[in-house]
Amino acid sequence: MILTVTLNTALDLTYTVPALVPHTTHRVTDVVERPGGKGVNVARVLAALGHETVVTGFAGGPTGEVLRDLLAPLPVRDALVPSAGATRRTVAVADSASGDTTQLNEPGPVITPAEWAAFLSGYAELLDGARAVALCGSLPRGVHVGAYAELVRRARAAGVPVLLDTSGEPLRRGIAARPDLVKPNADELAALTGAREPLRATRDARRRGAHAVVASLGADGLLAVTPDGTWQAAPPARVAGNPTGAGDSAVAGLLSALVEGAPWPERLARATALATATVHARAAGEFDADRYGELLERVSVRELATAA
């Protein structure tokens, strides 16, 4: 199975409005409610691809109960740890006129030392049966800033490949623990390395400890610097829609291809096609299956020069 960790889970709400206009009242034309947080989104896509998947992290309060109720009918196993603090909500407002989306994210609960200890105990047990693990998203309050570095080290000690997808200081410390793969976006790369040029920043990030780095460049696709080479993957055309969760679908593509033993160009093509197909879907954690099949045949993957 593949294990996904979402320490700061969320109940995702997506509101669609005809046009988002500041300082006015809006009539919502469509509402979608989903279990969320980056790792939960990753798990849902992995399950849709046919992989056995387990989600862990924290869930608490009335919002956490709704999240777990929404998870129950899905083909993912719930190994979330109860917390006294309430799970956060995230609200995406999709503007039908422009195709843009505005995101509002609550901070999440405060995790106690006892809750963190309970999580670590469960994490160790879950690693025992995992083929890969994804560590995704922000840290809830109360969890120390080096938490992802600790989880990376535990996964490596268990011999389980680990992917890290976070930002800021947790990314800086986590990458130094030598994860197998890191998937930052362009802004996260720039904050980590101080470089804005994507290839330079991605190479710099890998030198900081990651075995491989796959940078998400938004509509321009993915850039990968790995021990086996450097590649750039791009979708066949720019698409309009809701980009929320596209990066999570890319993570699912990378992980699924990793456990299947696919070469890097195939991993990147799958991740790029899934990310693009997610922009066509109604909410994070979903992708347009028909579009995915079409896109997978049309993604461009080219190898770049490997000189540093």
Side-chain angles (χ1 to χ4, degrees):
M1 63 86 172
I2 299 176
L3 175 64
T4 72
V5 175
T6 312
L7 297 178
N8 210 3
T9 57
L11 178 64
D12 285 346
L13 301 171
T14 301
Y15 295 152
T16 301
V17 298
L20 183 61
V21 182
H23 316 301
T24 64
T25 299
H26 296 79
R27 186 175 297 277
V28 176
T29 59
D30 187 47
V31 180
V32 179
E33 186 177 60
R34 293 288 187 271
K38 293 179 72 65
V40 174
N41 296 336
V42 171
R44 292 177 61 203
V45 174
L46 284 168
L49 293 172
H51 286 272
E52 180 186 357
T53 311
V54 177
V55 295
T56 190
F58 297 100
T63 314
E65 291 179 11
V66 174
L67 184 149
R68 300 187 86 159
D69 287 344
L70 292 170
L71 273 178
L74 299 178
V76 299
R77 180 156 69 90
D78 175 357
L80 294 168
V81 176
S83 66
T87 296
R88 65 190 177 130
R89 295 163 296 184
T90 65
V91 179
V93 182
D95 184 327
S96 297
S98 68
D100 293 333
T101 300
T102 300
Q103 189 82 16
L104 305 172
N105 295 338
E106 295 180 355
V110 176
I111 301 302
T112 68
E115 290 165 350
W116 177 244
F119 167 80
L120 288 178
S121 176
Y123 180 69
E125 294 179 5
L126 291 167
L127 283 176
D128 189 48
R131 299 176 66 192
V133 57
L135 309 175
C136 303
S138 61
L139 297 178
R141 293 171 292 175
V143 174
H144 65 96
V145 72
Y148 279 137
E150 179 180 0
L151 299 184
V152 168
R153 287 192 291 267
R154 287 175 179 244
R156 287 179 56 81
V160 179
V162 55
L163 181 152
L164 177 62
D165 184 12
T166 188
S167 60
E169 190 61 22
L171 172 60
R172 190 180 305 278
R173 298 196 186 196
I175 201 170
R178 305 188 68 79
D180 295 88
L181 178 59
V182 175
K183 195 213 71 64
N185 62 32
D187 290 339
E188 291 161 352
L189 261 183
L192 175 69
T193 66
R196 276 285 173 187
E197 197 282 314
L199 184 55
R200 177 182 176 185
T202 305
R203 286 173 171 159
D204 187 355
R206 183 168 180 256
R207 283 193 289 267
R208 291 168 184 260
H211 189 66
V213 178
V214 176
S216 176
L217 306 179
D220 292 327
L222 300 173
L223 176 63
V225 176
T226 82
D228 301 319
T230 300
W231 289 271
Q232 183 158 9
R238 290 178 178 266
V239 296
N242 182 0
T244 306
D248 305 331
S249 291
V251 168
L254 292 168
L255 274 180
S256 63
L258 182 154
V259 299
E260 293 169 21
W264 273 106
E266 185 177 327
R267 298 185 200 185
L268 296 170
R270 184 182 302 187
T272 302
L274 280 169
T276 307
T278 296
V279 177
H280 292 284
R282 296 177 71 210
E286 300 177 357
F287 63 94
D288 186 315
D290 292 334
R291 296 267 186 151
Y292 167 61
E294 297 170 5
L295 289 161
L296 189 57
E297 299 298 322
R298 299 170 58 204
V299 170
S300 167
V301 181
R302 63 188 181 97
E303 189 166 10
L304 306 180
T306 57

